[in-house]
């Protein structure tokens, strides 16, 4: 597949911004090239590494890829935005999403004036492969697949992802924000086979660092180079790079322990919820949240709120009618949620 043929002509033609740190990468004792303030301020008076190479080297070790196959963004949200701006000509090209799914694909496309074609998932939340391929036209540049999917919590079957990768003529993005909670393998291993595959992951969920805003993308060198060309020069700030390095070097075991605890809690919660007679359905989860179907979701949502508990009401989302999306919290938080939900039974009768 010829990636360049998918790229907007202006992006192919443009020259990337060249910062002081891009133009001089060597060692020196006096740096007077970036108009920085010379007085130390905990090291923050200097611009950060534009490519965050130290962070990428640690990620490369963990993920088994080369640093040239990694892009880092100001959250996954920036990854989505950069991809749309590289490949989608406003008012000409389109993206395909598979609702119910993450809302940012649509929002990012809207801000770029790029059309969105939607092909809803089946009732058991799997992509309709044939229908997606029928819906795709020569302007369909990106297909977004979220696995495990938000808000439905399930894995997208690997065989369907593979079928789409083999047949779709544009970029296939697999958003793996919740992959660390899943029994399914990451698609990262396929990036060497499919130059049009981009796998997104994030520090916001399993790593417990939503506050530092750090998203990852894995893909062919061709696509990653384009992303680096288009991104703002210092999109991952120095504090974030430091926090990420500390995390990757010293706190991977803590992350694994957290994930294990969350998975155990998820199973416990799901079993208890299934036992409540007013609960119609607890959907299977491969993520750190549970989708629950109940007869009166709006009332339950309000009831929980009056008790200081906020969940996500997904009742108005197609295929999620009657559903609340509940994040797995600490054991104490989950106990409190289950207690308050149980007490609400009189509302449901
Ligand atoms: C939470 C989430 C993300 C993470 O976004 P960040 O910008 O990295 O915080 C990405 N994709 C999905 C589907 C999510 O639910």
């Amino acid at each position: 597949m010829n990636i360049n043929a998918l790229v907007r002509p202006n992006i192919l033609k443009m020259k990337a911004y060249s910062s002081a740190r891009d133009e001089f990468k060597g060692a020196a004792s006096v740096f007077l090239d970036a108009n920085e303030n010379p007085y130390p301020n905990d090291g923050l008076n200097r611009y950060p590494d534009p490519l965050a190479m130290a962070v990428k080297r640690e990620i490369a070790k963990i993920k088994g890829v080369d640093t040239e196959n990694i892009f880092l963004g100001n959250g996954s949200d920036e990854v989505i935005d950069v991809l749309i701006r590289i490949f989608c000509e406003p008012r000409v090209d389109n993206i395909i999403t598979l609702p119910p799914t993450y809302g940012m694909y649509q929002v990012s496309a809207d801000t770029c004036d790029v059309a969105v074609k939607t092909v809803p998932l089946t009732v058991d939340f799997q992509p309709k492969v044939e229908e997606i391929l029928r819906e795709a036209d020569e302007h369909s540049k990106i297909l977004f697949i979220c696995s495990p999917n938000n808000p439905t919590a399930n894995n997208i079957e690997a065989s369907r992802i593979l079928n789409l990768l083999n047949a779709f003529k544009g970029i296939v993005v697999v958003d793996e924000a919740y992959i660390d909670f899943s029994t399914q393998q990451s698609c990262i291993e396929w990036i060497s086979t499919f130059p049009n595959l981009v796998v997104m992951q994030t520090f916001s969920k399993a790593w417990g660092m939503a506050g530092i805003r750090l998203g990852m993308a894995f893909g062919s060198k061709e696509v990653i180079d384009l992303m680096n060309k288009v991104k703002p020069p210092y999109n991952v700030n120095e504090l974030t790079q430091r926090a990420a390095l500390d995390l990757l070097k010293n706190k991977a075991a803590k992350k694994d322990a957290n994930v294990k605890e969350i998975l155990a809690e998820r199973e416990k919660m799901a079993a208890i919820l299934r036992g409540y007679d007013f609960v119609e359905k607890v959907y299977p989860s491969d993520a750190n949240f549970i989708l629950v179907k109940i007869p009166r979701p709006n009332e339950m949502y309000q009831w929980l709120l009056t008790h200081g508990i906020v969940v996500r009401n997904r009742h108005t989302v197609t295929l999620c009618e009657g559903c609340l999306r509940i994040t797995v919290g600490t054991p104490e938080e989950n106990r409190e949620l289950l207690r308050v939900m149980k007490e609400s039974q009189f509302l449901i009768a």
Side-chain angles (χ1 to χ4, degrees):
M1 180 176 284
N2 180 0
I3 296 298
N4 281 352
L6 296 170
V7 179
R8 294 168 64 202
N10 61 312
I11 300 293
L12 276 185
K13 255 196 322 223
M14 68 171 265
K15 271 184 62 141
Y17 176 74
S18 183
S19 70
R21 282 290 70 72
D22 290 315
E23 287 181 13
F24 182 83
K25 291 189 167 104
S29 52
V30 181
F31 281 99
L32 301 176
D33 60 347
N35 294 350
E36 295 153 336
N37 187 312
Y39 299 106
N41 204 0
D42 192 20
L44 298 175
N45 57 319
R46 299 294 179 187
Y47 281 104
D49 173 3
L51 292 174
M53 288 311 294
V55 178
K56 281 183 189 165
R57 280 192 285 273
E58 293 304 314
I59 295 172
K61 280 190 231 164
I62 292 180
K63 303 291 177 182
V65 298
D66 291 332
T67 54
E68 66 181 26
N69 299 113
I70 306 172
F71 171 85
L72 295 177
N74 187 345
S76 309
D77 293 342
E78 185 176 49
V79 175
I80 297 166
D81 182 65
V82 164
L83 284 169
I84 291 179
R85 286 190 288 123
I86 290 170
F87 294 104
C88 300
E89 193 64 35
R91 289 180 234 187
V92 175
D93 292 328
N94 62 75
I95 65 163
I96 301 180
T97 68
L98 315 177
T101 194
Y102 189 47
M104 276 310 289
Y105 316 136
Q106 170 91 46
V107 170
S108 242
D110 285 346
T111 61
C112 294
D113 208 358
V114 165
V116 180
K117 287 175 176 266
T118 56
V119 183
L121 298 171
T122 62
V123 285
D124 50 356
F125 303 138
Q126 291 297 327
K128 299 173 183 162
V129 174
E130 295 302 317
E131 207 168 304
I132 293 164
L133 296 173
R134 255 201 315 278
E135 190 64 23
D137 60 31
E138 83 239 54
H139 296 297
S140 301
K141 293 295 187 66
I142 309 178
L143 167 63
F144 284 96
I145 302 171
C146 188
S147 180
N149 187 40
N150 178 5
T152 61
N154 63 299
N155 289 319
I156 302 303
E157 291 166 4
S159 61
R160 296 194 197 222
I161 298 176
L162 266 180
N163 287 342
L164 287 163
L165 268 170
N166 277 310
F168 184 68
K169 301 273 186 286
I171 301 293
V172 175
V173 177
V174 181
D175 184 346
E176 294 187 339
Y178 300 98
I179 194 68
D180 293 296
F181 303 104
S182 172
T183 49
Q184 193 157 294
Q185 282 230 324
S186 167
C187 295
I188 287 181
E189 57 177 312
W190 295 338
I191 61 170
S192 49
T193 313
F194 299 98
N196 60 328
L197 169 64
V198 176
V199 177
M200 297 196 333
Q201 293 186 5
T202 180
F203 283 88
S204 297
K205 308 286 157 65
W207 286 96
M209 292 292 250
I212 68 172
R213 309 306 302 128
L214 188 57
M216 299 168 261
F218 304 91
S220 60
K221 182 173 185 300
E222 291 155 278
V223 173
I224 298 298
D225 285 351
L226 285 160
M227 296 176 81
N228 284 327
K229 182 177 175 185
V230 166
K231 77 177 182 73
Y234 305 108
N235 63 327
V236 178
N237 72 70
E238 178 67 23
L239 293 172
T240 293
Q241 292 191 31
R242 284 186 198 173
L245 265 183
D246 176 47
L247 199 64
L248 288 157
K249 285 186 168 163
N250 309 314
K251 292 173 182 148
K254 181 179 166 224
K255 179 211 75 167
D256 291 341
N258 276 345
V259 167
K260 220 170 139 188
E261 171 100 5
I262 289 167
L263 291 183
E265 277 298 303
R266 180 185 78 195
E267 293 316 301
K268 219 159 55 186
M269 277 170 86
I272 293 173
L273 285 167
R274 284 193 183 102
Y276 289 173
D277 51 12
F278 60 89
V279 169
E280 283 176 52
K281 180 156 188 174
V282 178
Y283 289 87
S285 173
D286 265 273
N288 66 336
F289 56 89
I290 300 177
L291 192 70
V292 189
K293 186 170 185 168
I294 52 177
R296 293 169 65 182
N298 294 334
E299 285 86 344
M300 178 64 88
Y301 178 81
Q302 282 305 326
W303 170 258
L304 290 172
L305 260 192
T306 25
H307 291 78
I309 301 172
V310 200
V311 297
R312 201 80 191 270
N313 188 352
R314 299 284 81 182
H315 175 51
T316 57
V317 175
T318 309
L319 294 178
C320 294
E321 295 83 5
C323 290
L324 300 180
R325 191 195 72 185
I326 304 171
T327 308
V328 179
T330 64
E332 298 71 36
E333 291 170 336
N334 303 332
R335 237 190 335 269
E336 176 70 358
L337 168 97
L338 292 166
R339 184 183 67 75
V340 174
M341 272 187 92
K342 194 171 171 189
E343 279 177 5
S344 74
Q345 274 188 82
F346 69 93
L347 275 175
I348 313 287

